[in-house]
Amino acid sequence: MLTFLFLIAGAVTASLLLYKGYHLCLNSPPIPSTQTNKSLRIAQIYTYPIKSLRPTTLDAALATHYGLEYDRVFMLLHRTPQGYKNMAVSHYPDMTQFLTSIHSQQNGKPLVQVHFRAFGNQEKAKTIDIPLEPSTDKLVPFSVNMHGSATTAFKMPNQFNTWFTDCFGYDVVLVYLGDNKRKVLWQDMIQTRSTSLLSRTPLIGRLVPKTPEITFADCAPYLVVSSTSLHDVSSRLGPDHSMDVTKFRPNIVVSGAHQAWEEDYWYRLRIGSLELEMKHNCVRCASLNIDYDTGKPGTGTSGQVLKKLQKDRRIDKGAKWSPVFGRYAFPTRKSHQQVIKIGDLAVVTEINKERTIFNWPGIE
């Protein structure tokens, strides 16, 4: 009986210590060096014409209200007996075997060139060119629902669907977003007539704010990450390993932060006339553990990235089981469309006193 009581006491103590450690993880104090008017530089720029395939690396890109030009305007879906399933790296690791680059046709119109590496079977390697601005006049409408935010896309011609189907080895459909968009579901960004009434602001003669819209990007037009924090992740993997930043799927990588994780508190970032508001963290999943060379789950250290981050990066109360890396960003209304380039100055103009809370329903 005494032994049983000791076991119970030990379990309770361990639970309290675990809770205490987790509580401290969520409520750690602000990073001392976080400050406004901090000058950073754009170190890398990436766009993802087809969602979840490998990115196109750019020296410069047109930054629009909906993200970088051509970012996530296509996506792939797996046709199953139960219906169509959205394809993402976390569940379809072989998507990492598709490399992308953007080119111009002879008529000046842009295209994305997709190269299938076919790891382990080089005889299957092949390439296809896909127009980035296809006419939708004769394309069949296709319903897509991402993270609860639905929209209408367009099914691309069979030549493209057949090409991807042959590469994957199962029935795949490529869809194009066209001029359509998805509504964001961040609870602090949804604007309705009722919220205006609650604030007792007269509606007559006033413009009711519009809920932001996005492409096939998960939750925001831009994802901003810090190269300093990337170095911290690499240091966790050992001296012979370097973390591939593209596994985090960023659009903009900035350098110059003095400490890792300063970006947890960044709120406004100005790049020329582009001003970004960062209201939410990007929470991470098992896609970090994929081996991009093989297109399979990683082994050894490369398959433990998520676990290593879970030790101290579960710092968002709205997604308590998922580690954070990077900040989702939306252009402010006064932002102007402009070309951003590697080396451009990026200035943190406003910070938060506390960490933000993830509040997109159904995602953790």
Side-chain angles (χ1 to χ4, degrees):
M1 181 65 179
L2 186 60
T3 301
F4 176 74
L5 290 175
F6 276 122
L7 290 172
I8 293 296
V12 170
T13 302
S15 298
L16 288 173
L17 288 173
L18 178 62
Y19 171 77
K20 184 178 180 181
Y22 173 65
H23 180 74
L24 290 174
C25 182
L26 284 179
N27 296 280
S28 54
I31 298 170
S33 66
T34 299
Q35 58 186 4
T36 56
N37 297 319
K38 175 183 286 295
S39 294
L40 310 166
R41 294 284 178 181
I42 296 180
Q44 292 156 288
I45 301 172
Y46 298 100
T47 191
Y48 307 78
I50 303 177
K51 178 179 172 58
S52 284
L53 300 192
R54 298 280 281 275
T56 295
T57 304
L58 302 170
D59 293 326
L62 179 64
T64 77
H65 191 75
Y66 300 107
L68 298 182
E69 187 177 31
Y70 306 127
D71 187 54
R72 286 139 172 141
V73 293
F74 292 95
M75 72 175 290
L76 292 161
L77 297 97
H78 177 196
R79 182 179 180 181
T80 73
Q82 293 75 38
Y84 289 95
K85 295 176 62 176
N86 299 346
M87 296 176 66
V89 173
S90 54
H91 294 100
Y92 297 87
D94 45 348
M95 297 182 84
T96 61
Q97 295 302 290
F98 295 82
L99 313 181
T100 65
S101 56
I102 294 176
H103 305 275
S104 293
Q105 303 179 58
Q106 290 184 349
N107 59 9
K109 292 187 176 181
L111 59 81
V112 55
Q113 186 173 89
V114 182
H115 176 67
F116 178 49
R117 294 179 65 234
F119 176 81
N121 190 353
Q122 292 300 310
E123 292 182 358
K124 284 192 172 183
K126 53 184 178 179
T127 301
I128 192 172
D129 293 337
I130 303 172
L132 277 169
E133 298 174 353
S135 172
T136 59
D137 292 345
K138 297 182 180 179
L139 299 182
V140 177
F142 194 99
S143 297
V144 175
N145 190 312
M146 280 185 61
H147 306 312
S149 177
T151 190
T152 298
F154 301 92
K155 183 178 178 181
M156 289 292 285
N158 285 337
Q159 67 186 89
F160 304 111
N161 302 320
T162 299
W163 189 88
F164 280 106
T165 294
D166 290 343
C167 293
F168 282 105
Y170 45 82
D171 198 358
V172 170
V173 171
L174 177 69
V175 299
Y176 173 59
L177 187 59
D179 293 329
N180 299 328
K181 299 293 183 292
R182 297 166 45 235
K183 295 286 187 182
V184 305
L185 298 185
W186 294 114
Q187 295 302 286
D188 56 337
M189 298 185 75
I190 295 175
Q191 304 292 340
T192 65
R193 181 174 293 270
S194 60
T195 58
S196 295
L197 289 173
L198 287 174
S199 65
R200 296 183 180 181
T201 300
L203 293 176
I204 299 176
R206 293 180 181 269
L207 179 65
V208 177
K210 182 181 178 182
T211 300
E213 296 179 327
I214 52 178
T215 62
F216 286 138
D218 280 337
C219 299
Y222 295 90
L223 177 59
V224 179
V225 306
S226 161
S227 61
T228 306
S229 296
L230 179 71
H231 294 323
D232 181 278
V233 178
S234 293
S235 70
R236 302 171 186 226
L237 305 182
D240 299 327
H241 297 272
S242 180
M243 185 65 186
D244 180 357
V245 71
T246 66
K247 290 187 178 184
F248 291 110
R249 321 298 287 182
N251 295 113
I252 300 172
V253 182
V254 295
S255 63
H258 295 305
Q259 291 185 344
W261 318 120
E262 290 182 18
E263 67 275 16
D264 289 353
Y265 296 91
W266 294 347
Y267 179 58
R268 290 183 189 269
L269 182 72
R270 190 181 69 247
I271 307 169
S273 61
L274 175 68
E275 183 180 58
L276 299 175
E277 284 186 347
M278 292 174 277
K279 296 185 177 184
H280 311 97
N281 296 312
C282 182
V283 296
R284 298 301 177 167
C285 65
S287 64
L288 300 183
N289 296 336
I290 302 301
D291 184 335
Y292 273 33
D293 286 333
T294 66
K296 301 180 184 299
T299 58
T301 301
S302 67
Q304 300 174 4
V305 179
L306 185 68
K307 181 179 180 180
K308 291 180 181 294
L309 287 177
Q310 284 174 328
K311 291 181 179 180
D312 63 347
R313 290 299 299 161
R314 293 182 298 157
I315 48 84
D316 194 311
K317 296 179 181 179
K320 59 184 180 180
W321 305 116
S322 302
V324 167
F325 188 99
R327 300 282 283 162
Y328 283 127
F330 286 81
T332 62
R333 292 195 171 194
K334 64 181 182 181
S335 291
H336 296 285
Q337 179 171 290
Q338 73 168 60
V339 173
I340 61 172
K341 304 182 296 298
I342 289 179
D344 278 355
L345 185 67
V347 181
V348 178
T349 61
E350 188 174 343
I351 61 173
N352 294 312
K353 293 182 179 179
E354 297 179 351
R355 288 190 170 103
T356 54
I357 298 176
F358 195 95
N359 56 35
W360 186 300
I363 303 179
E364 181 168 344

